[in-house]
Amino acid sequence: MTVQPLPVRLEAVIFDWAGTLVDFGSFAPTKVFVDAFSQFGMDVSLKEARGPMGMGKWDHIRTLCDQPAIANQYQARFGRLPTDDDVTAIYERFLPMQLDKVAQYSAAIPGAADVMRALRERGLKIGSCSGYPASVMGRVVERAATEDLTPDCIVASDEVPRARPAPAMALKNVVELGLSDVAGCIKVDDTAPGIEEGRRAGMWTVGLLLSGNAAGLTLDEYNNLSEPARDAARDAARAELNPAGPHYLIDTVADLPAVVDDIEARLARGDRP
């Protein structure tokens, strides 16, 4: 028996936050990770801190603590490898520091508010999710609202049983927004775990090459890149994001409308993610 594909229309776009809608370069979490580990006598570089970005923050710290260079520092200082209780202690030091700093770093990424407005004009709903816990997201959302970033749904990493790369946060958006089909959703993210989250949820996925964690550029650095340097940054970010299998890769959220056009055309032809 031949199974006919179900008709699907584009219904929603689900955005990540840091490095996608706000905080160009995704500096708020990375700098605070470095500072939190330093309070336990460990030297973690900004590059190391960026490695697991996209995960929930406790899982991010657990992943960092599992890296031999960091685990060995912890053992040298405390006489044991870091346990889950030790990870929780670092997380509990990290969280108030993150709460204190996150709004400072969470300026809207250029074009984000315009894109959100254009999507709504097309009749699409706007979802969002983040590796931040709800307490931190409250600070981010408060600042974002002053810059016309007001999604219809916001899901934090501690509001689901398993955060990224599991699909729960993306799927909670589907439920909360009352959507009819995951294939009518686009997940936009700057990290491999966030792209994997979207793919595991059955959605179209769009990776951001230059505004987020993969490139790690400040807005000024991005604006001042020569074309050869921009191409090199794209290549490095592409190598980091491609293993997660994004359907599309673009520089920043400002480039999203052309992708939305293409996905709508593909859905009209019967394609699915």
Side-chain angles (χ1 to χ4, degrees):
M1 181 175 121
T2 302
V3 178
Q4 296 298 320
L6 295 169
V8 182
R9 63 178 179 84
L10 193 60
E11 295 183 79
V13 180
I14 300 170
F15 292 97
D16 173 51
W17 280 89
T20 298
L21 292 175
V22 301
D23 186 8
F24 201 104
S26 196
F27 284 96
T30 48
K31 288 186 174 180
V32 177
F33 278 128
V34 170
D35 292 343
F37 274 90
S38 72
Q39 293 195 9
F40 287 80
M42 288 179 286
D43 183 18
V44 176
S45 71
L46 201 59
K47 182 177 181 180
E48 287 173 321
R50 287 189 179 280
M53 194 62 67
M55 293 180 168
K57 301 313 176 194
W58 190 95
D59 292 329
H60 188 130
I61 293 169
R62 175 72 270 177
T63 302
L64 288 174
C65 285
D66 289 340
Q67 295 180 7
I70 297 171
N72 291 340
Q73 288 187 61
Y74 197 93
Q75 187 168 39
R77 184 169 180 83
F78 297 102
R80 65 179 184 276
L81 292 173
T83 65
D84 283 356
D85 287 342
D86 298 322
V87 170
T88 298
I90 298 171
Y91 176 79
E92 289 175 348
R93 189 73 58 89
F94 162 86
L95 189 57
M97 297 166 68
Q98 185 75 91
L99 283 165
D100 183 52
K101 295 287 187 183
V102 69
Q104 173 187 333
Y105 288 109
S106 294
I109 287 174
D114 291 339
V115 166
M116 194 174 287
R117 193 176 304 112
L119 294 173
R120 283 203 168 104
E121 288 172 356
R122 298 171 80 139
L124 300 178
K125 295 181 178 180
I126 310 297
S128 69
C129 52
S130 174
Y132 287 137
S135 58
V136 176
M137 274 309 303
R139 305 283 177 94
V140 176
V141 169
E142 184 178 357
R143 171 162 185 181
T146 69
E147 302 189 66
D148 295 325
L149 294 176
T150 55
D152 303 311
C153 181
I154 300 161
V155 179
S157 62
D158 58 350
E159 294 177 325
V160 295
R162 288 185 64 189
R164 298 169 184 156
M169 285 196 292
L171 293 175
K172 186 173 173 64
N173 272 270
V174 173
V175 174
E176 296 293 331
L177 293 172
L179 306 179
S180 61
D181 196 322
V182 292
C185 302
I186 303 171
K187 175 68 201 306
V188 185
D189 207 292
D190 67 302
T191 68
I195 293 166
E196 185 177 341
E197 169 195 27
R199 291 198 61 220
R200 288 183 181 278
M203 300 175 178
W204 300 96
T205 54
V206 181
L208 303 180
L209 294 170
L210 297 184
S211 67
N213 187 68
L217 298 166
T218 67
L219 181 57
D220 284 343
E221 288 170 342
Y222 167 76
N223 285 332
N224 292 321
L225 283 177
S226 66
E227 276 309 310
R230 191 166 297 219
D231 287 341
R234 283 191 190 104
D235 288 344
R238 192 176 290 112
E240 182 173 324
L241 298 182
N242 268 339
H247 295 93
Y248 298 85
L249 290 169
I250 56 178
D251 286 353
T252 79
V253 68
D255 304 313
L256 186 63
V259 171
V260 174
D261 289 340
D262 194 65
I263 290 174
E264 284 190 325
R266 291 178 67 177
L267 285 171
R269 294 195 301 267
D271 292 349
R272 294 177 72 93

